[in-house]
Amino acid sequence: MYWLKELDPVETLISRPLYALTKDLLSFPAVVYRSGLYRKIRESYMKQTKIGTTKEGVLIYTGFISRILDFCARKNIEVDARLHPLLIKRKKPSYPRGFSPRDFQLLSIDQFFRFGRGVIVAPTGTGKTSLGLTLVSCVDGLESVLWLCHKVSLMRQTAEAAAEFFGNSNVGMLGDGIADTSKFLTIATRQTYEDYADDLGTAHDLVIVDETHHVSSFDGKYAEILRKTYAPYRIGLTATTPTQPEAVLALEALIGPLISQLTIEEGREKGYMADIKISIIKIPTSLSVRDLRKYADVYEHGVVRRLERNRRIVGLVKQHYEKGEAVLIVVNKLAHGDLLYNLCKKENIPTKYVYGITDSESRALAQKKLNEKELCCVIATDVWKEGINIPELNVVINAAGGKSDIATLQSIGRGLRKTSTKDTLIVYDFFDDSHPYLISHFGHRFSLYCEMGWIK
């Protein structure tokens, strides 16, 4: 009566009684607006994630198999599970000279060989890319591997690392004007791979999705690609797990359950990550900002164009420039980056500004020079919020403010890696008390710092 049959890496058929028993596990809260007599009426409901129905049963995503079986085990419900056997075999991995895998990386790989698919969570700077490449080198018999990235910079950075593991002749890229899909390992941007998904959907044995928190809905581009990709083995790599119910289910459905996690605190205790020193700077109160009503105006005049604030930021950069240290300034608005860049130039501070239209070669060069401290400072928008490793970065200045935990952690993540010459990352943040909006947003960030144990 209760049975499920795995059809392929995307779809699984389950009996109607089993679906009736577990459909709440596979649903998420959603909202619909219906026409009313005088206005539209907002109604909440539970949206089901089933793919469809057949004469035999209900089609669900294969990624949900573990969720259903775990539920049935807890309830002592017998299920006839007709699953495809895991055919992967482990072999001795190949490492670049001087590389030694970390314990958590090896434990994560053990979990992959147990489940065949799933999400691995580890903080920025702890070696997610090398984990993924080590995993690929451990699997015997792979003929073709796809590695999906969200940004060109991450694609190029990953391809460079992959070449050290497998050699240039075995690594191809798909994106940024390059279309080399004939190699053992294809590193692709999600945006370019969209055009190839129909043709290459059955070509790969293993798909790895980097920054996998972008798989956040059943309607997005990643969902479309992963429904067309029939790689039997799937891994997601991320530093941040989703919290929205749909995102949680979509990630599990299309890739798999969480199979391994390393927290920031664990990474720091094991010596993988630099210590964090938070320094809070109080900005003088502005009565003119306090009188503003719209958030956009408050942000424009209280953050972007606040001269006292921007001068203080550049003053901090100058202090660290004189010490020979590397600084990253994080901004949210283009105009803010322009203002800070011009102020840095007036102080003769070697600075680059990286934003949306900056080409990939210029971004990579700025990253390299900042890490080698040929540059003192890079100002960056959210184009550098993910997948950018700057191990020798000494200072992050959060000029953008905001209240998002994920955005704040991503900004700090650029410099979390510990090196032989750096064991501490300094993070500057600003307490702007000129308006309730700014006070509230700072409160969110300060609470995060306390929760992470960075302020005691």
Side-chain angles (χ1 to χ4, degrees):
M1 187 177 185
Y2 297 131
W3 57 263
L4 63 81
K5 180 181 179 182
E6 182 181 353
L7 302 180
D8 55 48
V10 178
E11 296 184 356
T12 288
L13 187 66
I14 70 174
S15 65
R16 284 185 172 81
L18 181 56
Y19 182 73
L21 192 67
T22 60
K23 70 177 181 180
D24 288 345
L25 294 173
L26 314 181
S27 303
F28 61 91
V31 172
V32 66
Y33 289 89
R34 303 189 186 282
S35 298
L37 184 59
Y38 300 107
R39 59 183 174 82
K40 288 190 174 181
I41 300 172
R42 183 179 186 271
E43 294 183 2
S44 299
Y45 72 105
M46 295 300 292
K47 187 171 183 177
Q48 298 181 32
T49 60
K50 68 179 181 181
I51 300 171
T53 58
T54 70
K55 292 180 179 179
E56 294 180 82
V58 179
L59 288 170
I60 64 165
Y61 288 97
T62 298
F64 285 142
I65 288 177
S66 292
R67 175 178 286 245
I68 290 175
L69 294 181
D70 288 347
F71 170 80
C72 291
R74 292 196 306 271
K75 299 293 184 179
N76 293 317
I77 299 169
E78 291 189 10
V79 179
D80 178 15
R82 309 162 202 171
L83 306 179
H84 293 169
L86 284 177
L87 300 177
I88 45 176
K89 295 182 179 180
R90 194 163 185 167
K91 66 177 182 179
K92 185 177 180 180
S94 58
Y95 303 135
R97 181 175 297 176
F99 173 78
S100 179
R102 292 169 168 169
D103 290 344
F104 92 91
Q105 294 173 329
L106 295 175
L107 288 172
S108 297
I109 293 170
D110 289 342
Q111 289 294 88
F112 166 74
F113 279 94
R114 178 184 174 190
F115 292 99
R117 61 193 293 162
V119 176
I120 298 171
V121 180
T124 301
T126 54
K128 291 191 298 298
T129 300
S130 58
L131 187 163
L133 294 171
T134 302
L135 185 153
V136 172
S137 76
C138 283
V139 184
D140 192 22
L142 288 179
E143 294 184 4
S144 180
V145 177
L146 172 66
W147 188 303
L148 287 174
C149 302
H150 193 64
K151 293 182 179 293
V152 168
S153 57
L154 184 54
M155 176 192 74
R156 288 186 172 276
Q157 185 172 276
T158 304
E160 184 177 336
E164 295 182 8
F165 273 77
F166 305 107
N168 282 311
S169 61
N170 290 312
V171 180
M173 288 189 288
L174 182 59
D176 201 24
I178 304 170
D180 183 2
T181 62
S182 61
K183 305 293 176 57
F184 163 69
L185 176 58
T186 300
I187 317 289
T189 63
R190 185 271 299 165
Q191 294 84 344
T192 301
Y193 189 77
E194 287 176 30
D195 298 329
Y196 291 78
D198 287 326
D199 294 330
L200 297 179
T202 60
H204 309 290
D205 307 309
L206 167 66
V207 59
I208 296 178
V209 182
D210 214 340
E211 304 293 353
T212 196
H213 52 274
H214 287 292
V215 185
S216 58
S217 75
F218 288 91
D219 300 321
K221 293 297 184 180
Y222 269 113
E224 182 180 340
I225 287 171
L226 290 169
R227 279 193 290 263
K228 295 177 179 179
T229 302
Y230 286 85
Y233 308 112
R234 299 169 180 237
I235 284 293
L237 302 172
T238 184
T240 53
T241 53
T243 57
Q244 294 297 321
E246 180 180 6
V248 171
L249 287 177
L251 187 57
E252 186 173 330
L254 296 160
I255 296 180
L258 176 65
I259 59 173
S260 179
Q261 182 169 15
L262 178 76
T263 66
I264 289 179
E265 185 60 32
E266 289 169 340
R268 196 167 58 194
E269 288 175 356
K270 291 178 179 294
Y272 302 152
M273 303 166 64
D275 289 329
I276 304 295
K277 179 184 177 182
I278 304 290
S279 182
I280 306 297
I281 309 295
K282 170 71 169 62
I283 302 300
T285 305
S286 168
L287 296 179
S288 61
V289 172
R290 181 167 292 178
D291 292 335
L292 299 173
R293 293 187 177 184
K294 295 180 179 179
Y295 174 70
D297 294 334
V298 172
Y299 193 81
E300 181 73 12
H301 297 285
V303 176
V304 174
R305 300 189 181 280
R306 186 76 195 278
L307 187 58
E308 298 96 328
R309 193 178 192 272
N310 288 336
R311 282 177 174 166
R312 191 65 183 270
I313 290 170
V314 174
L316 293 169
V317 177
K318 190 172 183 179
Q319 290 176 25
H320 290 283
Y321 173 46
E322 291 170 352
K323 297 177 182 178
E325 295 177 334
V327 180
L328 172 65
I329 303 176
V330 179
V331 297
N332 187 36
K333 299 290 185 181
L334 292 175
H336 199 186
D338 287 330
L339 290 168
L340 289 169
Y341 178 70
N342 290 329
L343 287 172
C344 286
K345 282 178 62 179
K346 287 181 180 179
E347 295 293 333
N348 296 314
I349 300 170
T351 304
K352 291 291 184 183
Y353 182 23
V354 176
Y355 56 104
I357 65 172
T358 307
D359 63 78
S360 58
E361 290 185 7
S362 297
R363 294 183 192 185
L365 184 60
Q367 180 183 349
K368 181 175 183 292
K369 286 188 173 182
L370 185 65
N371 192 56
E372 295 176 353
K373 300 187 179 177
E374 293 179 30
L375 267 178
C376 165
C377 176
V378 169
I379 302 165
T381 63
D382 63 0
V383 299
W384 265 22
K385 74 178 181 180
E386 295 173 338
I388 300 295
N389 291 323
I390 313 170
E392 298 298 338
L393 184 65
N394 302 104
V395 178
V396 172
I397 299 178
N398 181 8
K403 65 178 182 179
S404 166
D405 287 357
I406 290 178
T408 302
L409 290 173
Q410 285 175 333
S411 298
I412 294 172
R414 302 311 105 216
L416 276 179
R417 195 180 295 272
K418 186 176 181 178
T419 72
S420 60
T421 59
K422 186 198 82 176
D423 57 14
T424 301
L425 175 70
I426 299 172
V427 178
Y428 290 103
D429 204 333
F430 303 91
F431 176 40
D432 304 279
D433 70 350
S434 298
H435 196 280
Y437 283 136
L438 301 180
I439 295 172
S440 172
H441 288 190
F442 173 77
H444 281 274
R445 300 194 304 276
F446 190 81
S447 295
L448 174 65
Y449 300 148
C450 292
E451 289 171 9
M452 301 303 297
W454 296 334
I455 294 179
K456 300 177 181 178

